[in-house]
Amino acid sequence: MMSNLAVLPIIIPLVSGILLAFFHTKTPFVRHAAKLLSVISTGVAAYVFYYVLQNGTVTLETGGWEAPYGIVLVADLLAVTLVLTTNIIGLACIFYAPHSLTEQKEKFYFYTFFFLLITGVSGAFLTGDLFNLFVFFEVLLMASYALITLGGEKVQLRESIKYVLVNLFSSIVFVTTVAFLYSVLGTVNMAQMAERVQEVEQQGILTTIGILLFFVFATKAALFPLYYWLPKPYTVPNPVVSAMFAALLTKVGVYSIIRMFTLVFVHKMEVTHELFIWIAGFTLVFGAIGALSTNNIKLVIAYNIIPAVGFMVMGVGIYNQTALSGSVYYMISDMIIKAALFLLAGAVAHVVGTPDLRKMKGLIHQLPLLGWLLFISAFVLAGVPPFSGFIGKLMIMQGGFADGEIAIVIIGLLSSLLILYSIMKIFVRGFWGEKDESITIDKKTVTALTWPVAFLVFFTVLLGIGAEMFYPVVDDISNQLMNPEIYIDSVFKE
Amino acid sequence: MLFAVLLPLVLTLLIPFLSKFKDKVHTGIFVFFIPLGIFIFFVRFIGEGFSPELESYPWIPSLGISLDFYLDGLSLLFVLLISGIGALVTFYSIFYLHKSEKLAHFYVYLLLFMTAMLGVVLSDNVYLLYTFWELTSISSFLLIGYWNHREGSRYGAMKSMLITVFGGLSMLGAFMLLHVITGVTSVQQMIGSVDLILSSDYLPLIMTLLLLGAFTKSAQFPFHIWLPDAMEAPTPVSAYLHSATMVKAGIFLVARFSPIFHGYEWFFIVVSGIGIITLCWASYMAVRQTDLKGILAFSTVSQLGMIMAMLGFGTEAAVFAAVFHILNHATFKGSLFMIAGIIDHESGTRDIRKLGGLMTLMPISATLALFAALSMAGVPLPFLNGFYSKELFFENSLHIGDTTLWIASFLKQAIPYLAVFGSIFTFVYSMYFLFGTFTGKQKLEQLPKKPHEAPIGMLIAPAILVFGVIFIGLFPNLFNETFLAHAAKAISGEDTHEHIVYWHGLKPAFYMSLIVVAFGTLLYLFRKKWWSIYRAIPGSLSFNRVYNGILKGLDVYTAKLTKSYMNGSLRRYTALIVSTIIIVTGLVMAGTNGFTFKTDDLAPVTIPEILVGIMVIAGAVGTILAKNNVAAIIILGVSGYGQALLFVFYRAPDLALTQLVIETITVALLLLCFHHLPQLSRRTEGAGFRLTNAVIAVGFGTLMTLIGISAHSSKWFTAISDYFLETSHDLGGGDNVVNVILVDMRGLDTLFEITVLGIAAFSIYSLIKLRSKEGE
């Protein structure tokens, strides 16, 4: 079905970002306008999601140039689900931002960068064109460079240079890979690529190019052994920025892996997907180890991004419908909980004045609600029922067992324990114990910082207890992923 | 049943409100009626005609997760224990916990636990069971950490959580495997597919994972170490969770899945083997403890081991004895914990070295302790329930079924001796607990408080339990047919008609009891003589040290390992990332025969092209070798201009122009930057470092070249660019195809590339301005 709806989740944040740039000095106005625009954007995303759920994939041939020649946007269920999740996270962040940022930063185009980041992310989810995906990667990366350096503190610049350079490198490889693929397949339209790769049964150089493309996305997704750039740089910007990064950027990488390796490169699974399982295993282990290696609570959470990505890629590697459903479910859950955790850690560090766990104790007396939200989050992350992390992990691991992938599932179970321990350490050492009288809190700020966290944690609980409501959507998504012809037909057979 | 399970959970919502009145009414009074009500609701199921009931509600049917509650004899036994002991403990806690404590927290956790535990024993759905299972771990964690201002409390809470959640996750693994193999999620239906499971290749794995869950929860050797540290919890919690109910969840799990593994010999070996080792080790260790609750904790571990061993025997009579002992243990151990709590409450200490001679000061407590402790010791008196179950244990240890594996046969021979050994020490620690506290010399000067008898309210709960000890002792067969037989049947699958008698005649079991009493008395009386043996065994060895070592190791080595590669050096990161890409992609290319090389569609190479090619390469190499930054930039420019020349050769003047402009601007900008930057000389690196980098760089270049050549040699399809050429004029309205592509055909790309530039501009602006404004 052809409809302009597909482009709305890209255009609205783009226009919002540009509009807000004009009023950047009028802080109170911009704050309220940003909230309003974010609500509108979320509302539209919700409508597009609903529409796609009811009517099937919506496509848009931009500029009226028919596929595969022009750029086609493909709003399939996976894409719109992720777009909606992105907007919900954005909503929480936009309400958190004024209480966390200095007014200076807000004046210097924070909200513009923020909305353009959303533009890039939504675009990456929605596009059906590999080169256009590269362009949206550039948009979101450039916005992220702007956000990570906003403020220009010494430590920020030192860490972000690593972030920027590694990502620039992977962008170069990305565009080179697109060129290679164009040379072989003569197209950059994903649906047509899928058709053509199938036609030649992914022979010759194609698998190699596929793996190269995988490494491009794996670098963004922070898989083993490519994630070095991630942990530290994620701890230096404002928590609101870290939360957006943690929730969205790595997941765009995971999304791209899912898209390319369920749609296009699916004919040499014994090579590609087997490799994913190995990489997922190492990612799980090393990520969890990293999370235990530090006393900086922001860094603990940053490291926790890594094993979660490992779980998602594990599902892709296993590649059956159960496991893929699990990957998608886990991805949605993880986007939300990671955002929540970064906002939470930011609020805690804000109150205590440092993210160093060794300087915290008895915070439950001052921050009871945040403490319990952290407690719940630990179980969401570890995959304990009835929270959302469990549903995703359960399906991934069931899928693994069904295909006889015993070792990776057991690694998954053990890493869950380590993940739980890494967060529980924060709860026990930081929140339990004697009250620290030297810490005083500003109740109003704390409340304002707490609600967005609670809002997000609420969703993860809902996704767990109410899994039956969401499961059909995810099942539908994985069904589409397992049957690439659905995607191809939606692009070509109109 | 759903209502009964969820009732405590629902009440937790009211607790914060109810606790507002805690100055007037102790919050525990409201809570007390919940377990009491549940007890009354379920007690009516007792009867000879009892038959199992199933209640089902949908939850996440798509994943096979539903709220299936199944009440059979086994669950009924546990439900009554949970609600019955729960009511008594709550009642006791009203007097134990002062109103100045955080009562709301305590009762919320306690109610959370009740729901969890009822859920565990009533769930028929494995995932639901797992959900409640983890919830018991969580509520136990919170209760152990109730006094979290104490270091020991935090340590104990974390320890119990890590060990039990480890077990829980492993149990989940077993459940998933069972689900995948049988295709069902109901325990009863799994039991129906027992043949499928027993013939599966994964059987040993399933059993191991499942038993890890059971053993960690029920504190079996060597996972028992969390239980003594869990004694940091308030005593009502120890009596309830860590003696009567939660720690029996592992027993429950083994019992629940016994029908599946019944015919599998390794099940006997592992369950009985670990059970009997636990019994011996823990009872031996209990004598060494100095904390009253420590003695009781090890005692609980050892008793759980005994029950576990009997479940492993698997014979109908042994299973019945196990069920009987679950009930008996709850009565005498529950009351002993409460008495320990009373002593702590009234004297201010639980250190047995400071206690003694309290009999005269606390006569009622002493009397209650006397009966409970003698029952625990298994003293052959006709009114102590502990004696009956101990005697049944001995008898069954002599009648284990047939074995085929040598290790099973060996175990079968060894078990009776080990049973006697463990029971001797059980006798010793029982005496030690009883006489060490209540007889001997009073050391009042060492006590923080002057001890006196507890208020009557606090004595009621243990008195009721001791009454149970004697009542069951006097009428051991009262509940056989109506209650215990149903539970045994649920485990062994066979109808059970046991009759318990006091006097068996001069049978081996009776001699075993006599040996226990005789040796036990001797060992107790001369305990000072052999005490030093603890210095040899376990000496300084302990599983706590293993646990602490693992945690310490996690702290130290995770940090070491992570720091070893996350050293903050961007060069290092890039080297690692690029090497990974080279190795893996290279291997894939070799493995899939990816390389192809065709020259048939290549144009002839002219001399100017070769010269320009050399120029580009020379520029690239020269950049690396240049000693000075400015020189490097200028030489790099040579490469860029060379590429521009190539575009000219290939008749792409617009591209050539673009390239020229970019090169010129870049060089100019960089020179400008370096003018403002401090004069940095290039760092001189070691030869090894440079060699590695050279290898990586050349490797990556080679890889990309090979892929590029192969990609060029594999043009299998017509490119979509033909369409652009054809339609550019008619549909795009322009004859410059590149322009039409940029502004029309792929206008979206251009729009967002412009956006990228815009963001960059804003970002640079704010980077400069914000810094100077904030005065850095």
Side-chain angles (χ1 to χ4, degrees):
Chain A
M1 163 138 359
M2 189 85 73
S3 162
N4 280 328
L5 278 179
V7 79
L8 286 182
I10 306 174
I11 291 298
I12 291 174
L14 175 71
V15 173
S16 308
I18 294 170
L19 277 180
L20 291 175
F22 287 107
F23 303 98
H24 71 110
T25 49
K26 302 189 173 51
T27 319
F29 170 75
V30 168
R31 276 180 195 163
H32 293 300
K35 284 175 191 168
L36 180 68
L37 289 168
S38 190
V39 170
I40 292 172
S41 177
T42 311
V44 171
Y47 175 71
V48 175
F49 169 78
Y50 176 76
Y51 188 85
V52 171
L53 191 63
Q54 298 298 319
N55 302 304
T57 305
V58 170
T59 60
L60 178 67
E61 292 170 342
T62 58
W65 292 90
E66 62 177 305
Y69 306 106
I71 296 168
V72 60
L73 298 178
V74 185
D76 70 344
L77 199 50
L78 173 62
V80 292
T81 308
L82 294 176
V83 166
L84 178 60
T85 315
T86 302
N87 274 287
I88 288 172
I89 292 161
L91 196 60
C93 289
I94 214 94
F95 277 85
Y96 184 97
H99 306 281
S100 169
L101 291 162
T102 58
E103 207 174 319
Q104 283 300 333
K105 287 185 185 169
E106 287 178 272
K107 278 197 177 131
F108 276 93
Y109 310 108
F110 169 79
Y111 294 103
T112 299
F113 298 143
F114 175 90
F115 277 107
L116 290 173
L117 183 73
I118 304 244
T119 309
V121 172
S122 301
F125 289 143
L126 288 169
T127 187
D129 185 287
L130 192 61
F131 186 79
N132 192 236
L133 179 66
F134 167 75
V135 173
F136 279 117
F137 264 73
E138 289 306 296
V139 174
L140 68 92
L141 284 174
M142 190 51 79
S144 77
Y145 302 155
L147 285 169
I148 201 172
T149 53
L150 189 64
E153 289 162 39
K154 218 171 198 172
V155 54
Q156 253 184 320
L157 294 178
R158 191 186 66 220
E159 291 302 331
S160 39
I161 187 78
K162 295 171 198 166
Y163 172 80
V164 172
L165 285 179
V166 171
N167 278 297
L168 270 182
F169 170 75
S170 88
S171 294
I172 295 168
V173 181
F174 190 2
V175 76
T176 316
T177 313
V178 175
F180 291 156
L181 275 175
Y182 182 73
S183 170
V184 177
L185 300 173
T187 184
V188 286
N189 177 292
M190 293 183 194
Q192 197 179 25
M193 284 175 135
E195 278 184 332
R196 290 186 166 184
V197 169
Q198 188 185 14
E199 209 174 301
V200 296
E201 291 168 340
Q202 201 178 325
Q203 58 167 314
I205 192 66
L206 276 171
T207 308
T208 311
I209 301 178
I211 289 296
L212 201 58
L213 194 59
F214 167 74
F215 276 120
V216 170
F217 298 140
T219 312
K220 312 250 188 247
L223 279 165
F224 179 88
L226 310 160
Y227 57 72
Y228 313 106
W229 57 271
L230 181 137
K232 281 246 174 67
Y234 271 34
T235 62
V236 290
N238 193 277
V240 108
V241 175
S242 307
M244 293 292 285
F245 282 20
L248 305 178
L249 298 193
T250 50
K251 308 310 178 289
V252 175
V254 176
Y255 162 81
S256 308
I257 292 174
I258 293 179
R259 183 61 90 206
M260 293 310 286
F261 289 88
T262 57
L263 179 65
V264 181
F265 297 104
V266 286
H267 307 286
K268 282 274 183 342
M269 297 232 182
E270 67 283 2
V271 178
T272 51
H273 290 61
E274 192 61 32
L275 176 73
F276 298 168
I277 290 184
W278 279 89
I279 288 184
F282 283 111
T283 309
L284 285 170
V285 173
F286 278 85
I289 286 176
L292 291 175
S293 71
T294 172
N295 281 309
N296 178 335
I297 59 168
K298 288 185 176 178
L299 202 52
V300 171
I301 290 160
Y303 269 111
N304 260 307
I305 296 172
I306 296 162
V309 171
F311 260 107
M312 294 165 214
V313 172
M314 175 176 156
V316 184
I318 292 163
Y319 198 76
N320 53 37
Q321 194 168 345
T322 321
L324 274 178
S325 301
S327 280
V328 173
Y329 212 99
Y330 195 69
M331 185 159 148
I332 297 165
S333 148
D334 194 63
M335 286 167 84
I336 299 174
I337 196 67
K338 284 288 145 58
L341 274 171
F342 266 102
L343 296 182
L344 199 155
V348 171
H350 179 84
V351 169
V352 184
T354 165
D356 190 340
L357 182 57
R358 284 167 299 192
K359 301 202 174 94
M360 300 175 186
K361 63 170 183 176
L363 288 175
I364 200 90
H365 298 283
Q366 285 102 342
L367 307 170
L369 189 54
L370 276 179
W372 292 115
L373 287 171
L374 177 75
F375 188 71
I376 293 174
S377 306
F379 295 106
V380 177
L381 271 191
V384 170
F387 306 116
S388 59
F390 173 69
I391 309 289
K393 281 193 183 180
L394 179 70
M395 287 193 281
I396 296 172
M397 294 194 286
Q398 274 178 356
F401 272 143
D403 277 9
E405 300 282 359
I406 305 297
I408 186 76
V409 176
I410 290 177
I411 291 175
L413 287 169
L414 281 178
S415 76
S416 298
L417 183 69
L418 296 183
I419 289 166
L420 179 70
Y421 178 47
S422 73
I423 304 289
M424 234 28 178
K425 251 175 31 180
I426 303 180
F427 184 76
V428 170
R429 295 190 194 162
F431 281 83
W432 272 1
E434 303 271 5
K435 185 175 177 179
D436 186 345
E437 302 291 349
S438 69
I439 294 170
T440 48
I441 59 160
D442 168 16
K443 271 226 159 109
K444 234 178 111 189
T445 311
V446 168
T447 314
L449 292 176
T450 305
W451 280 112
V453 180
F455 170 75
L456 291 174
V457 171
F458 165 77
F459 271 99
T460 65
V461 176
L462 185 71
L463 276 167
I465 294 175
E468 188 63 20
M469 282 192 287
F470 304 98
Y471 177 79
V473 179
V474 175
D475 191 47
D476 213 5
I477 290 173
S478 60
N479 183 43
Q480 291 181 12
L481 292 177
M482 290 298 287
N483 300 293
E485 62 279 4
I486 298 176
Y487 185 94
I488 298 170
D489 288 349
S490 70
V491 175
F492 292 128
K493 286 199 186 144
E494 288 292 335
Chain B
M1 277 184 271
L2 177 73
F3 181 70
V5 171
L6 294 185
L7 182 65
L9 192 64
V10 173
L11 191 75
T12 57
L13 302 175
L14 295 178
I15 292 290
F17 172 74
L18 292 175
S19 71
K20 290 219 169 92
F21 309 106
K22 73 175 182 183
D23 292 333
K24 293 197 192 88
V25 190
H26 197 285
T27 317
I29 293 171
F30 300 107
V31 176
F32 170 67
F33 292 100
I34 300 290
L36 186 69
I38 296 172
F39 185 81
I40 293 168
F41 175 79
F42 280 101
V43 84
R44 66 195 167 92
F45 285 98
I46 292 183
E48 272 187 55
F50 171 77
S51 65
E53 281 183 26
L54 181 71
E55 243 180 68
S56 205
Y57 308 88
W59 179 17
I60 316 174
S62 309
L63 297 176
I65 306 175
S66 13
L67 302 168
D68 297 335
F69 294 108
Y70 181 71
L71 184 75
D72 64 354
L74 181 64
S75 355
L76 184 63
L77 169 68
F78 273 91
V79 166
L80 290 177
L81 273 184
I82 296 159
S83 53
I85 308 274
L88 292 175
V89 162
T90 313
F91 188 77
Y92 176 81
S93 73
I94 296 171
F95 301 92
Y96 186 86
L97 283 178
H98 194 261
K99 284 174 181 173
S100 61
E101 302 267 7
K102 293 173 295 179
L103 293 183
H105 284 250
F106 181 81
Y107 287 109
V108 165
Y109 306 156
L110 200 70
L111 288 167
L112 206 59
F113 171 75
M114 279 181 201
T115 285
M117 196 63 209
L118 289 169
V120 166
V121 300
L122 286 170
S123 298
D124 185 46
N125 185 296
V126 285
Y127 297 122
L128 186 66
L129 172 56
Y130 173 69
T131 307
F132 286 121
W133 183 276
E134 294 295 32
L135 191 58
T136 61
S137 295
I138 295 169
S139 47
S140 160
F141 167 83
L142 291 169
L143 284 165
I144 298 170
Y146 178 63
W147 284 316
N148 60 55
H149 54 273
R150 299 182 191 164
E151 171 64 33
S153 204
R154 298 197 293 271
Y155 172 81
M158 189 63 127
K159 194 177 192 178
S160 78
M161 158 157 291
L162 286 179
I163 294 178
T164 53
V165 170
F166 162 75
L169 285 167
S170 121
M171 184 183 84
L172 174 66
F175 286 170
M176 287 189 297
L177 274 172
L178 286 170
H179 178 191
V180 167
I181 290 169
T182 60
V184 293
T185 50
S186 146
V187 180
Q188 294 307 316
Q189 286 172 21
M190 281 176 183
I191 293 173
S193 321
V194 62
D195 296 334
L196 264 177
I197 298 166
L198 286 181
S199 59
S200 159
D201 291 340
Y202 296 132
L203 180 63
L205 182 66
I206 296 174
M207 188 192 80
T208 311
L209 291 175
L210 194 75
L211 290 181
L212 274 177
F215 289 167
T216 48
K217 198 77 161 182
S218 281
Q220 296 296 290
F221 183 90
F223 303 110
H224 62 278
I225 51 170
W226 68 266
L227 192 60
D229 286 303
M231 294 300 131
E232 287 291 336
T235 301
V237 174
S238 310
Y240 189 30
L241 274 71
H242 304 126
S243 164
T245 55
M246 189 185 88
V247 288
K248 292 201 177 106
I251 305 270
F252 171 82
L253 189 73
V254 170
R256 187 46 100 209
F257 284 87
S258 275
I260 291 179
F261 298 103
H262 183 59
Y264 184 48
E265 207 161 332
W266 279 102
F267 185 70
F268 158 70
I269 296 170
V270 179
V271 174
S272 291
I274 294 289
I276 204 91
I277 291 171
T278 308
L279 164 67
C280 294
W281 180 252
S283 58
Y284 171 74
M285 290 297 288
V287 185
R288 194 173 76 149
Q289 306 304 313
T290 51
D291 176 3
L292 286 185
K293 279 172 80 178
I295 301 173
L296 294 177
F298 274 99
S299 148
T300 304
V301 173
S302 93
Q303 302 274 338
L304 292 170
M306 174 178 150
I307 299 171
M308 200 59 98
M310 286 195 276
L311 287 175
F313 298 167
T315 56
E316 182 201 315
V319 166
F320 178 82
V323 169
F324 188 46
H325 196 63
I326 290 172
L327 179 66
N328 294 341
H329 177 249
T331 55
F332 63 69
K333 189 58 63 61
S335 53
L336 285 174
F337 262 112
M338 290 179 188
I339 290 159
I342 288 173
I343 293 166
D344 186 15
H345 206 256
E346 303 306 328
S347 74
T349 184
R350 301 193 310 249
D351 190 334
I352 199 163
R353 289 167 302 187
K354 296 180 186 164
L355 296 165
L358 294 182
M359 194 164 64
T360 50
L361 296 168
M362 308 172 78
I364 305 175
S365 303
T367 317
L368 294 175
L370 177 74
F371 285 108
L374 290 182
S375 176
M376 177 160 80
V379 175
L381 292 169
F383 50 85
L384 297 175
N385 59 1
F387 164 68
Y388 291 99
S389 42
K390 182 67 52 88
E391 185 104 335
L392 285 172
F393 172 54
F394 287 147
E395 196 179 305
N396 283 301
S397 72
L398 297 166
H399 298 98
I400 300 167
D402 293 330
T403 51
T404 50
L405 297 166
W406 72 268
I407 186 165
S409 312
F410 171 75
L411 192 62
K412 185 177 159 182
Q413 298 301 321
I415 279 175
Y417 298 100
L418 293 170
V420 171
F421 175 86
S423 302
I424 291 173
F425 280 94
T426 305
F427 186 89
V428 177
Y429 70 66
S430 303
M431 298 306 121
Y432 175 53
F433 178 91
L434 182 65
F435 296 120
T437 313
F438 292 104
T439 65
K441 225 173 76 207
Q442 288 184 353
K443 301 163 217 170
L444 296 183
E445 70 288 349
Q446 291 187 28
L447 299 177
K449 282 200 236 170
K450 188 179 164 5
H452 51 78
E453 188 56 270
I456 187 76
M458 225 168 164
L459 288 165
I460 289 176
I464 290 173
L465 286 171
V466 170
F467 172 76
V469 168
I470 298 167
F471 186 75
I472 299 173
L474 289 173
F475 311 101
N477 292 305
L478 199 61
F479 304 118
N480 276 4
E481 294 294 319
T482 51
F483 184 36
L484 297 176
H486 296 302
K489 189 187 168 196
I491 304 171
S492 65
E494 295 156 53
D495 280 324
T496 307
H497 302 284
E498 286 291 317
H499 190 73
I500 307 163
V501 289
Y502 174 61
W503 179 245
H504 288 270
L506 291 172
K507 291 226 178 111
F510 182 68
Y511 292 124
M512 286 159 92
S513 280
L514 285 186
I515 293 170
V516 168
V517 174
F519 273 86
T521 313
L522 283 175
L523 278 179
Y524 174 68
L525 290 175
F526 298 104
R527 63 187 184 281
K528 293 213 167 60
K529 305 256 188 244
W530 57 270
W531 206 264
S532 54
I533 194 174
Y534 285 106
R535 260 180 247 136
I537 308 168
S540 61
L541 292 172
S542 88
F543 291 97
N544 272 317
R545 286 182 56 170
V546 176
Y547 168 85
N548 292 335
I550 290 176
L551 282 206
K552 188 114 201 290
L554 274 180
D555 259 6
V556 174
Y557 290 105
T558 55
K560 267 195 182 160
L561 179 69
T562 306
K563 283 204 183 93
S564 73
Y565 66 91
M566 300 293 289
N567 62 354
S569 155
L570 181 63
R571 293 172 166 204
R572 180 68 143 334
Y573 296 169
T574 321
L576 286 169
I577 290 175
V578 176
S579 323
T580 309
I581 297 180
I582 299 170
I583 294 169
V584 178
T585 316
L587 283 175
V588 168
M589 191 163 167
T592 55
N593 291 322
F595 185 69
T596 42
F597 184 44
K598 279 195 295 191
T599 51
D600 47 355
D601 64 338
L602 292 182
V605 185
T606 60
I607 292 178
E609 283 168 4
I610 293 176
L611 288 178
V612 173
I614 292 171
M615 179 178 146
V616 171
I617 293 169
V621 175
T623 311
I624 301 166
L625 298 178
K627 287 269 180 294
N628 165 308
N629 285 329
V630 177
I633 292 161
I634 293 172
I635 300 173
L636 184 64
V638 173
S639 250
Y641 290 122
Q643 272 181 12
L645 265 180
L646 284 178
F647 287 132
V648 175
F649 292 156
Y650 301 139
R651 286 178 295 159
D654 44 354
L655 284 181
L657 273 177
T658 316
Q659 180 77 19
L660 278 175
V661 170
I662 289 173
E663 279 307 322
T664 312
I665 294 177
T666 321
V667 171
L669 273 179
L670 283 174
L671 287 176
L672 201 64
C673 288
F674 277 106
H675 179 71
H676 289 283
L677 286 173
Q679 192 70 39
L680 293 171
S681 60
R682 291 202 146 188
R683 266 190 283 177
T684 43
E685 308 284 357
F689 180 83
R690 285 166 65 171
L691 184 69
T692 322
N693 279 4
V695 169
I696 292 171
V698 171
F700 193 65
T702 314
L703 178 77
M704 294 306 265
T705 310
L706 291 180
I707 298 176
I709 291 172
S710 309
H712 185 80
S713 308
S714 314
K715 290 196 168 167
W716 295 318
F717 299 96
T718 34
I720 52 172
S721 56
D722 293 348
Y723 174 86
F724 297 151
L725 291 173
E726 285 160 19
T727 56
S728 170
H729 181 85
D730 297 342
L731 296 178
D735 286 322
N736 184 330
V737 183
V738 175
N739 281 357
V740 176
I741 291 175
L742 285 178
V743 300
D744 192 346
M745 291 161 168
R746 298 191 67 93
L748 198 68
D749 283 344
T750 313
L751 169 65
F752 284 101
E753 286 297 353
I754 294 168
T755 313
V756 170
L757 289 178
I759 303 170
F762 275 117
S763 173
I764 292 163
Y765 176 74
S766 62
L767 202 57
I768 297 165
K769 276 288 182 183
L770 190 52
R771 253 175 99 83
S772 56
K773 269 199 175 176
E774 290 188 349
E776 262 198 62

